[in-house]
Amino acid sequence: MDFELTDEQRLIRDTAREFTDREIIMQSRENARNHRFDVDLVRKVAEQGYLGAIVPTEYGGAGLDYLSYGLVVEEIGRGDSAIRTVISVQTSLVCSGILKHGTEEQKRKYLPKLCSGEWIGCFGLTEPDTGSDAANQRTRAKKTDNGWVINGAKMWISMANYAKVALIFAQTDPDLGHKGIACFIVDTDQPGFKPATIEHKMGLHASDTASIALEDVEVSDDDVLGEVGGGFKVAMSNLDSGRYSVAAGCVGICRGCVEESVKYAKEREQFGRPIASFQLVQAMIADMVLKTDASRMLVWRAGWMKDKGLPNTTETSVAKLHATEASLECANLAIQVHGGAGYVDDHPVERYYRDARVTTLYEGTSQIQKLIIGRAMTGVNALVPA
Ligand code: CAA
């Protein structure tokens, strides 16, 4: 792997950095305070090409390689994880799935509008009683003469209130287990599609999170993404992209923690000198740098493998596991460097801490990432009783 970015990749990264500084940083505290899903900012992100970063230009995307996508997501993640979540869901969980599994007609119908931000997408896998055990879908899709009718419920779905397009996973034949699951591209204007905001989250206050009730939602045969029975694999391959994106965003949180801590430590004086001169403060900063650099290297490795077309599920889980846990540890350390000032939202480290917390939960908990890695190493599936 070549660690030197190309001129184009540096330009992409620097552009995303300037965009984050100019458009995101200023808004993020107020949006979090007001629990505001910032539609105008989402539109600006779309104009930058970040909602369809890895989608080829012929379908309206930016046509970036995965490494460049990761560079963009790191920058946005440094600014605001709520906006980074929009990119991760729209680009990785929705667009990458349609790109990989969709028919030509589906790609032409959905991708340009998703990439331009005209349509928002959401990913409906998780249910009230189905989290880590994603194959155990309770939502049912029943065959009709004209297509399918879906009944069930989804939970913790980012952007469900704003989405025009929802990828909904549902069981078509419970006897078949995960081989009975199908993924449907659902128009959320359909009667029976009912999102409801989930209130009182610990973090990601500027991100929209909802449950969805599905009551006799009708879809046609043309709305099946991939094969009937192949929905679980669609979900897993979308998550291979989504977990990479979450990991890259967490590198951004880690870096933000370093930058904010260095700045504060040089300004803040105690015992007659800047706290940056104390060895214990420097040790905290060094710990953060270590976690940031290691996380970034793991993200780059996963991105490089994706760009080479190599199998990378394990490496993506390694990157996701390390970067998400590191973001939480860095945010904790950064608050420690800031002392009392880090406990209020005058500095971004308070928000980093709250926003980082969900990243070890969504798109597969840290424990699920460990089981994926453990199974790859041992060949033994710990989820199947011996
Ligand atoms: N790509 C393609 N196919 C894959 C795959 C991948 N990465 N991983 C597994 N598969 C295939 C397997 O090859 C297998 O295929 P066969 O039927 O041909 O053998 C099939 O899928 C079943 O695989 P497993 O035996 O591994 O399935 P499992 O039931 O043991 O589950 C799991 C594995 C890793 C625990 C999985 O259920 C999982 O990832 N759980 C966590 C779910 C998750 O991340 N949810 C987050 C939802 S998104 C979100 O957070 C909401 C949001 O809006 C942000």
Side-chain angles (χ1 to χ4, degrees):
M1 182 183 169
D2 188 351
F3 288 97
E4 195 178 1
L5 299 178
T6 63
D7 288 346
E8 195 188 348
Q9 285 168 333
R10 272 201 297 273
L11 181 64
I12 289 165
R13 181 197 60 193
D14 294 348
T15 304
R17 188 168 294 179
E18 283 162 26
F19 175 78
T20 301
D21 287 337
R22 191 177 64 244
E23 301 288 351
I24 297 182
I25 302 271
M26 300 302 287
Q27 308 285 343
S28 50
R29 183 174 68 179
E30 286 310 306
N31 284 339
R33 279 185 178 178
N34 297 320
H35 292 239
R36 175 166 179 258
F37 182 76
D38 192 337
V39 179
D40 293 337
L41 187 52
V42 172
R43 189 178 40 74
K44 287 179 186 168
V45 166
E47 281 165 7
Q48 289 289 115
Y50 298 157
L51 292 187
I54 48 172
V55 174
T57 49
E58 61 174 308
Y59 298 116
L64 299 188
D65 56 86
Y66 258 93
L67 189 50
S68 301
Y69 173 45
L71 297 173
V72 168
V73 175
E74 175 183 330
E75 295 304 327
I76 307 289
R78 175 180 60 89
D80 189 344
S81 291
I83 282 292
R84 195 274 306 151
T85 296
V86 177
I87 295 177
S88 298
V89 171
Q90 181 100 339
T91 306
S92 285
L93 293 184
V94 180
C95 288
S96 87
I98 295 174
L99 185 64
K100 188 164 178 190
H101 303 281
T103 61
E104 191 56 31
E105 204 184 338
Q106 288 170 335
K107 289 184 210 177
R108 301 240 168 248
K109 179 175 175 185
Y110 294 106
L111 290 176
K113 287 190 165 138
L114 288 166
C115 292
S116 70
E118 183 179 342
W119 286 352
I120 296 289
C122 70
F123 181 76
L125 178 68
T126 304
E127 303 184 344
D129 293 317
T130 296
S132 293
D133 186 7
N136 188 21
Q137 292 285 304
R138 308 277 174 97
T139 296
R140 296 284 182 263
K142 205 168 159 221
K143 191 78 188 85
T144 62
D145 290 345
N146 305 324
W148 299 83
V149 60
I150 304 174
N151 279 284
K154 298 291 169 183
M155 191 72 186
W156 306 117
I157 309 303
S158 302
M159 284 132 62
N161 283 308
Y162 292 85
K164 166 71 173 161
V165 179
L167 298 191
I168 296 292
F169 296 85
Q171 180 55 266
T172 64
D173 182 349
D175 291 342
L176 294 178
H178 75 264
K179 291 188 194 306
I181 295 172
C183 176
F184 298 93
I185 311 178
V186 175
D187 180 340
T188 63
D189 290 333
Q190 279 287 319
F193 186 98
K194 297 177 181 167
T197 304
I198 296 173
E199 308 276 7
H200 313 306
K201 289 178 297 185
M202 177 187 198
L204 283 192
H205 290 158
S207 176
D208 176 61
T209 313
S211 59
I212 306 171
L214 300 150
E215 296 168 5
D216 292 329
V217 175
E218 293 181 14
V219 290
S220 76
D221 288 319
D222 292 342
D223 298 326
V224 176
L225 181 61
E227 305 284 319
V228 173
F232 189 73
K233 289 188 185 181
V234 172
M236 290 301 112
S237 70
N238 293 10
L239 283 164
D240 278 344
S241 180
R243 289 167 182 165
Y244 172 78
S245 189
V246 173
C250 285
V251 176
I253 295 179
C254 293
R255 203 183 92 227
C257 289
V258 173
E259 290 174 1
E260 292 297 325
S261 297
V262 168
K263 192 166 71 180
Y264 186 79
K266 286 162 94 173
E267 286 165 10
R268 171 77 173 167
E269 292 193 1
Q270 287 294 285
F271 303 99
R273 53 193 170 114
I275 62 170
S277 66
F278 293 110
Q279 291 179 1
L280 290 178
V281 171
Q282 290 198 6
M284 288 192 276
I285 290 169
D287 280 348
M288 285 186 254
V289 170
L290 187 68
K291 292 176 201 298
T292 307
D293 287 0
S295 299
R296 185 183 292 112
M297 289 299 102
L298 292 171
V299 168
W300 283 18
R301 178 180 69 167
W304 178 81
M305 293 178 82
K306 286 175 196 296
D307 288 331
K308 290 265 174 220
L310 299 168
N312 60 81
T313 298
T314 309
E315 290 76 7
T316 298
S317 282
V318 171
K320 204 257 181 191
L321 174 62
H322 193 279
T324 57
E325 295 286 346
S327 70
L328 201 48
E329 291 159 10
C330 284
N332 195 29
L333 285 167
I335 289 175
Q336 200 65 23
V337 171
H338 283 70
Y343 197 63
V344 286
D345 70 1
D346 294 349
H347 297 271
V349 294
E350 180 265 355
R351 184 167 41 81
Y352 285 149
Y353 188 71
R354 288 185 293 98
D355 288 354
R357 189 63 193 85
V358 76
T359 64
T360 69
L361 305 173
Y362 70 10
E363 306 213 22
T365 61
S366 290
Q367 287 67 32
I368 287 295
Q369 309 311 323
K370 284 180 185 173
L371 293 182
I372 291 170
I373 298 161
R375 174 162 51 175
M377 291 299 108
T378 64
V380 180
N381 184 355
L383 294 164
V384 176

